[in-house]
Amino acid sequence: MMPACLSDDWTLCPEREDISAEFTRLLAAAQEGGATIAECLMIARQLKRGDDQSWHRAWKKLAHTNRQRAEAAFAEGHLASAQRNWLRAMNYYGAAAMPLDPADERRWVAVLAMQECARRYLAARSPAGEMVTVPWVDEHPLRGYFLPAPSASGRAPTVICIGEPGHRKEEFLFKLVPHARERGFSMLALDLFGDERDDYLDALLRRGDLESAIPAVMDYLETRADVDFARVGIIADGWGSSFVARAVIQEPRLAAAVCDGGLWDLHERAFFASRFAMSDLSIVPVPHSPLMASGANCPVLITLGEDGWLKADRARQLVRNSQLGSSDVKLKVFTAAETGAAQAHADNPSLANEYIFDWLESQLGTAGRV
């Protein structure tokens, strides 16, 4: 018998695109330790069609179970099991918060529980991670998690991981940390929220200077004795905007960047040009010049899935038509035949992240290499 909300093609709640997308993310997270498939399917069977609150209740309960399991394992000295359960609890709390209104107090309670699991996970690691504060603007510093390379002695190549506005950094702890650790990288996981609640997103989206966060992060990393500052790269997770791509233009200290390359800005520029029959793209009203037209100071990798929002053929056309100059820009398209083809590679993020971190390794080297 199929679960109550699960269709024959394993799409959860076809009438709720947001719920279905989150369930796909949770299943994919199982590959990296952010969930288990059995637990995800168990929750799918418990959901009640038409009951919007059943999602929150089910994932919160499962998060509590994993959190209690983590604490019990930690008390008995089983640090590996404790870390695994904290990561799953953290992700399940995030899932519980997802459908709630940003102003709903239950959402903030779930976010705080998620962050506490992240702190417990960091402290149990070896070498331990740390919570850091990065000055940005006077009233709004950034908060992050710094995870040192496995070889804690000396300076290590470091990867900054930051999401689009509205994305919280905790997901990186299971999604990206294993790939960084395996290659001897340190990692700094950040988001733009700082200490604010989710309803702060509107204020973030109104800011015209989101890209200024990246030079602030670089200033912070330059002060750390365990960072090889000549080998710092950045990953922009998601395609909601091109603020990281715009920062890459302005930040000469980056050694490598994985971002949308300004494709989304360029796509909007081309759209307005065709809409208003303009032949001169320079007069189209978009706020920033796209990366590929302006040139970057470091190698740039752009990855996308052929089934994502921006179609592969359109992306290839934009790359061909842009003025690349001396920029080293590489475009990798994941096809449906190999998976990783969904928006933001949601169907198989592991495959995309292996490619991304292999590319970063070729640009930054690994710890102990120059």
Side-chain angles (χ1 to χ4, degrees), residues 29-291:
Q31 299 176 169
E32 305 288 7
T36 69
I37 292 175
E39 287 177 320
C40 290
L41 296 180
M42 177 185 70
I43 295 299
R45 295 185 181 96
Q46 296 174 3
L47 298 178
K48 298 178 181 178
R49 192 178 298 277
D51 181 0
D52 289 345
Q53 301 304 314
S54 67
W55 173 279
H56 171 74
R57 291 193 302 267
W59 290 108
K60 183 178 73 170
K61 181 179 179 181
L62 182 59
H64 286 340
T65 298
N66 278 264
R67 186 177 182 179
Q68 291 169 353
R69 194 184 297 132
E71 295 294 345
F74 182 77
E76 296 175 2
H78 304 306
L79 299 187
S81 291
Q83 290 175 59
R84 286 175 174 270
N85 280 276
W86 274 317
L87 286 176
R88 292 197 296 269
M90 180 191 70
N91 196 28
Y92 296 154
Y93 279 124
M98 188 278 300
L100 300 177
D101 186 90
D104 192 319
E105 187 66 21
R106 293 173 301 168
R107 183 174 180 128
W108 182 238
V109 170
V111 169
L112 291 176
M114 176 178 69
Q115 293 174 342
E116 177 59 24
C117 289
R119 287 191 286 268
R120 297 286 282 155
Y121 163 77
L122 291 176
R125 282 173 50 91
S126 181
E130 60 182 288
M131 294 173 290
V132 302
T133 299
V134 177
W136 180 21
V137 290
D138 291 341
E139 75 280 6
H140 188 77
L142 302 175
R143 308 295 185 191
Y145 303 132
F146 186 84
L147 297 98
S151 176
S153 61
R155 297 178 180 268
T158 301
V159 178
I160 304 163
C161 301
I162 190 166
E164 296 297 332
H167 186 283
R168 289 199 175 270
K169 59 187 173 292
E170 283 73 24
E171 183 183 11
F172 300 145
L173 297 184
F174 62 82
K175 183 179 178 181
L176 300 181
V177 164
H179 298 280
R181 185 182 182 91
E182 290 165 357
R183 292 163 178 82
F185 296 160
S186 293
M187 196 182 94
L188 176 60
L190 292 157
D191 58 41
L192 295 173
F193 277 114
D195 290 328
E196 301 290 343
R197 300 185 179 212
D198 288 348
D199 53 8
Y200 185 69
L201 177 59
D202 289 341
L204 279 175
L205 293 176
R206 287 195 298 269
R207 294 191 67 97
D209 63 343
L210 292 180
E211 59 269 25
S212 68
I214 306 307
V217 173
M218 294 297 287
D219 289 344
Y220 166 76
L221 289 178
E222 196 168 15
T223 69
R224 293 192 63 108
D226 52 357
V227 170
D228 184 342
F229 197 66
R231 296 190 290 166
V232 175
I234 189 169
I235 297 174
D237 193 64
W239 269 64
S241 73
S242 295
F243 83 95
V244 171
R246 297 194 294 268
V248 171
I249 301 171
Q250 306 167 17
E251 183 46 78
R253 296 173 292 179
L254 284 166
V258 183
C259 60
D260 79 349
L263 276 181
W264 196 252
D265 279 352
L266 194 58
H267 175 67
E268 289 183 332
R269 184 179 290 252
F271 170 79
F272 282 115
S274 62
R275 182 75 176 268
F276 297 105
M278 296 176 179
S279 58
D280 183 2
L281 296 184
S282 66
I283 65 175
V284 177
V286 296
H288 302 276
S289 298
L291 170 62

Side-chain angles (χ1 to χ4, degrees), residues 232-236 244-245 248 254-259 291 296 298-302 328 330 359-360 363-364:
V232 175
I234 189 169
I235 297 174
V244 171
V248 171
L254 284 166
V258 183
C259 60
L291 170 62
C298 66
V300 174
L301 172 65
I302 305 167
D328 180 5
K330 180 179 179 63
W359 182 84
L360 284 169
Q363 305 299 322
L364 305 179

Side-chain angles (χ1 to χ4, degrees), residues 17 21-22 24-25 28 164 171 175 236-241 260 264 303-312 315 334-336 339-349 352:
E17 185 177 347
E22 179 68 359
T24 297
R25 186 193 70 81
E164 296 297 332
E171 183 183 11
K175 183 179 178 181
D237 193 64
W239 269 64
S241 73
D260 79 349
W264 196 252
T303 72
L304 75 155
E306 67 174 359
D307 296 332
W309 299 337
L310 186 60
K311 298 305 179 185
F334 288 85
T335 66
T339 71
Q343 175 64 26
H345 315 296
D347 56 325
N348 194 350

